Amino acid sequence: MNWTFFHKLGSPKWFYDLSVKLQPWFLFLGVFLLLIGAVWGLAFAPQDYQQGNSFRIIYIHVPTAILAQSCYMMMAASAFVGLVWKMKIADMFIVAAAPIGAAFTFLALFTGAVWGKPTWGTWWVWDARLTSMLVLLFLYFGLMALRGAFEDTDMAAKASAILVLVGVVNIPIIKYSVEWWNTLHQPATFTLTEKPAMPPEMWLPLLVMVIGIYAFFTSVLFSRMRNEILIRERRTKWVRGIVLEESVLKRSALKVNQP
Amino acid sequence: MNFASFSDFISMGGHGLYVWLCYGVSLVVFLLIAIVPVEQRKSVIRQLAQVQRRQESRKKEGGSEDGNEP
């Protein structure tokens, strides 16, 4: 097997250059698909025969909830790689991804609560699905707080990798909570093995939203990781070059604006 | 189109408040997620440029090469 790719992936400069090239495409694709999916879901999808139009919240709720968990799984994979191979980029991924994951977890909880009011008659119940999602939010917050507590980057990387890996326990609990315990929450909308219970006019916009949110996530992640690379690689020649170039550009732009 | 009129679309069969609250808050959060790294980059470049300028001027004065980095 050829491991060149794996080694390149570990190089911050290589990743930086690649992300500069790819990021605009992901951003465009993400915004485009999210707009299409939202308009489709809000205005064109048929209404639910039981829930009426409040079911349209699904087009935000499910994609954000999927990403909240999938972001955590990616962080866990990254934490493992970081611990075993001491790859710099792995820890940068965790630092860059955690706040996005937290934001999506918040949105999943918020839209779930707002959806719950007209559907279940309550904003919140302490059942397994909702509680385990709240735990996920606190895992993200804990991780972000932990980063701030360390001066030394290597120590911080090790500590957060361990926290991420311990927290993985929560992910199957979220996933199977609707099957293991009695809950108000409905079972999974999408599964890999079965056809969705909804008609295509309903689940197609949802699929568009899910793909869109992955693309959007990737683009934001690239931006955040680039910032992280700039800070950590600030002593290298190539980062110094970028900093010099951009600050000079900005200064000359200021001079043009002030005659 | 699933709705007969625009006001039907806004009211969402009486669930308008819930639906639009969700989409509104989500829009704000999505925008924040997208804008934060752009602003962050500006401040990172500004700070690193400052450090580099300080190091350059110190080098010219013949002082130590690696200045006071944060």
Side-chain angles (χ1 to χ4, degrees), chain B residues 6-68:
Chain B
F6 188 69
S7 59
D8 262 12
F9 177 58
I10 296 300
S11 81
M12 287 275 162
H15 288 145
L17 179 68
Y18 304 113
V19 174
W20 294 115
L21 183 64
C22 280
Y23 278 78
V25 169
S26 301
L27 181 69
V28 171
V29 173
F30 273 69
L31 285 177
L32 273 179
I33 296 175
I35 291 167
V36 165
V38 177
E39 293 302 315
Q40 205 178 27
R41 182 183 174 92
K42 283 184 199 155
S43 94
V44 167
I45 294 281
R46 200 168 356 147
Q47 284 174 23
L48 292 184
Q50 230 169 35
V51 173
Q52 286 188 19
R53 273 198 299 278
R54 219 178 296 145
Q55 289 170 343
E56 288 300 318
S57 59
R58 212 164 284 177
K59 230 190 259 175
K60 272 177 204 156
E61 287 163 19
S64 76
E65 264 194 32
D66 44 61
N68 278 331

Side-chain angles (χ1 to χ4, degrees), chain A residues 2-10 14 18 87:
Chain A
N2 188 354
W3 286 93
T4 331
F5 176 78
F6 196 61
H7 287 295
K8 271 188 179 165
L9 196 63
W14 182 83
L18 182 76
M87 231 184 226

